[in-house]
Amino acid sequence: MGEDFLDQDALRARIMQLRSEHRALDGQITALIETGVADQLKIARLKKEKLFLKDRISALEDQMTPDIIA
């Protein structure tokens, strides 16, 4: 994705979008587990996608923090 060179406002917007997707996946996972008709493969895929989003959010947040040389 072209996320590596976004300005601060664009980074914040992208982070908010990814957090929203992350919450949506969490809701899907919870719903699948609560229905009792849990498709373990689908749950595993959703969890993997959720983890990818979390890692991407962390990477973008790191971009927003300036490097400080002590």
Side-chain angles (χ1 to χ4, degrees), residues 4-5 7 11 24 27 31 33 39 44-45 49-50 62-63:
D4 294 333
F5 300 105
D7 65 16
L11 282 173
I33 292 171
D39 177 358
R45 286 181 181 153
E49 186 176 346
K50 187 178 158 190
D62 286 346
Q63 283 185 1

Side-chain angles (χ1 to χ4, degrees), residues 29-51:
I29 292 167
T30 301
L32 281 173
I33 292 171
E34 288 177 352
T35 60
V37 187
D39 177 358
Q40 295 302 318
L41 183 58
K42 184 171 185 168
I43 291 172
R45 286 181 181 153
L46 290 172
K47 286 183 176 183
K48 186 175 181 177
E49 186 176 346
K50 187 178 158 190
L51 182 59

Side-chain angles (χ1 to χ4, degrees), residues 40-69:
Q40 295 302 318
L41 183 58
K42 184 171 185 168
I43 291 172
R45 286 181 181 153
L46 290 172
K47 286 183 176 183
K48 186 175 181 177
E49 186 176 346
K50 187 178 158 190
L51 182 59
F52 172 78
L53 288 174
K54 183 179 178 184
D55 290 344
R56 193 68 204 132
I57 290 167
S58 293
L60 291 175
E61 288 174 338
D62 286 346
Q63 283 185 1
M64 289 182 63
T65 306
D67 290 335
I68 299 174
I69 299 173

